[in-house]
Amino acid sequence: MRKSFKLTLSYSFWWLISLRSLRAPMGFSPVELCKKYLSELEYKKAVDASLSAAKRFPNSHKAHGCLGRVYIGLIEPQKALKVLKKSVKLAETKQEQFVSYNLLGTTYILLQDFDYALYNYQMALRIAKDMGDAQGEVESLTGIRTVYTLKGNEEKATEYHNEDLRRTPSEKDKSMILFGIAELHLNRQDYNSAEQYLQKALEVAREDFVA
């Protein structure tokens, strides 16, 4: 029960991160409509738009990537897996590869196949480093530490929490990472450390709110 709750919580957190890369479009192409409806959590409309996009543009990475996001949002990982595997093959740029591998990581988390989830996040991290994409590195590190948390490897999870914290430029993101570290110490029954990290998280969150 506890592992199931952690899986749901981690998935929800990572899904919110993936939505941050979406932008409401100005045009009305099927791909743009898919992104628009997905950012608004209008899944029924997003399904129609994404299927239309994939049919109209069968060799489009963006069309299949958006359809994969829709299936993740609907928690239909088997469908997402099929579409996103194709999106990797259709990727023409490193950025497109990065997006596909990160989404595949999320998909494998839903399938509770944590080894493959870890592999895909590590692929995304390698690509982000090649591109010099600091925010992409943070997103991939977030996925990696989520996997280690779900696998119960708290030592590795803490290691990636700290690495994530070191690279994260956003104060809001830092507060979330600190909350995660506090939770890890709480699971170990190290209440003093948990309290310290919780206090740090609250301080960073408060400073970000005031700013």
Side-chain angles (χ1 to χ4, degrees), residues 178-179 181-182 192-203:
L178 287 165
F179 273 118
I181 297 174
N192 288 333
S193 295
E195 184 178 2
Q196 290 175 12
Y197 276 101
L198 181 59
Q199 185 62 38
K200 288 180 182 178
L202 291 172
E203 288 174 2

Side-chain angles (χ1 to χ4, degrees), residues 29-40:
S29 76
V31 174
E32 291 168 337
L33 281 174
C34 172
K35 291 182 179 180
K36 176 181 185 296
Y37 293 136
L38 191 54
S39 67
E40 296 170 352

Side-chain angles (χ1 to χ4, degrees), residues 140-158:
S140 300
L141 287 167
T142 300
I144 291 171
R145 66 176 169 81
T146 297
V147 171
Y148 280 123
T149 300
L150 291 170
K151 291 180 75 171
N153 190 334
E154 295 181 350
E155 182 176 346
K156 273 288 187 182
T158 301

Side-chain angles (χ1 to χ4, degrees), residues 16-17 57 78 88 93 98 101 104 111 149 157 186 201 209:
L16 287 173
I17 288 178
F57 306 106
Q78 289 292 354
V88 171
T93 66
F98 167 78
Y101 282 120
L104 277 168
L111 292 168
T149 300
L186 187 63
F209 178 77

Side-chain angles (χ1 to χ4, degrees), residues 7-200:
L7 178 63
T8 302
L9 185 63
S10 298
Y11 156 71
S12 300
F13 173 73
W14 187 244
W15 177 233
L16 287 173
I17 288 178
S18 74
L19 285 178
R20 285 161 58 179
S21 64
L22 296 175
R23 297 290 185 272
M26 296 300 292
F28 297 93
S29 76
V31 174
E32 291 168 337
L33 281 174
C34 172
K35 291 182 179 180
K36 176 181 185 296
Y37 293 136
L38 191 54
S39 67
E40 296 170 352
L41 305 183
E42 292 280 356
Y43 291 119
K44 186 177 185 304
K45 293 179 180 179
V47 168
D48 293 339
S50 59
L51 287 173
S52 175
K55 183 176 181 180
R56 185 174 174 183
F57 306 106
N59 296 318
S60 167
H61 168 271
K62 291 183 179 179
H64 288 82
C66 199
L67 180 56
R69 273 192 171 100
V70 172
Y71 285 138
I72 290 173
L74 292 171
I75 315 183
E76 295 186 19
Q78 289 292 354
K79 291 182 179 179
L81 184 63
K82 181 178 179 180
V83 172
L84 291 171
K85 280 185 174 180
K86 186 172 183 179
S87 78
V88 171
K89 296 178 181 179
L90 293 173
E92 297 180 348
T93 66
K94 287 186 177 180
Q95 177 61 33
E96 290 180 346
Q97 290 177 339
F98 167 78
V99 170
S100 292
Y101 282 120
N102 252 350
L103 290 174
L104 277 168
T106 307
T107 301
Y108 279 114
I109 281 181
L110 288 176
L111 292 168
Q112 299 190 45
D113 190 336
F114 301 131
D115 289 336
Y116 272 107
L118 185 60
Y119 167 79
N120 281 278
Y121 285 135
Q122 288 174 334
M123 287 292 291
L125 178 60
R126 187 182 308 167
I127 294 169
K129 287 181 177 179
D130 287 344
M131 294 190 298
D133 182 355
Q135 184 59 42
E137 288 184 45
V138 170
E139 291 179 9
S140 300
L141 287 167
T142 300
I144 291 171
R145 66 176 169 81
T146 297
V147 171
Y148 280 123
T149 300
L150 291 170
K151 291 180 75 171
N153 190 334
E154 295 181 350
E155 182 176 346
K156 273 288 187 182
T158 301
E159 176 185 331
Y160 278 95
H161 266 293
N162 290 328
E163 178 69 8
D164 207 357
L165 184 62
R166 186 176 70 82
R167 293 173 179 268
T168 299
S170 165
E171 293 302 309
K172 185 180 296 184
D173 288 341
K174 284 182 180 179
S175 67
M176 295 175 71
I177 294 168
L178 287 165
F179 273 118
I181 297 174
E183 182 184 15
L184 287 172
H185 284 295
L186 187 63
N187 290 341
R188 294 174 180 169
Q189 297 184 351
D190 183 351
Y191 302 116
N192 288 333
S193 295
E195 184 178 2
Q196 290 175 12
Y197 276 101
L198 181 59
Q199 185 62 38
K200 288 180 182 178

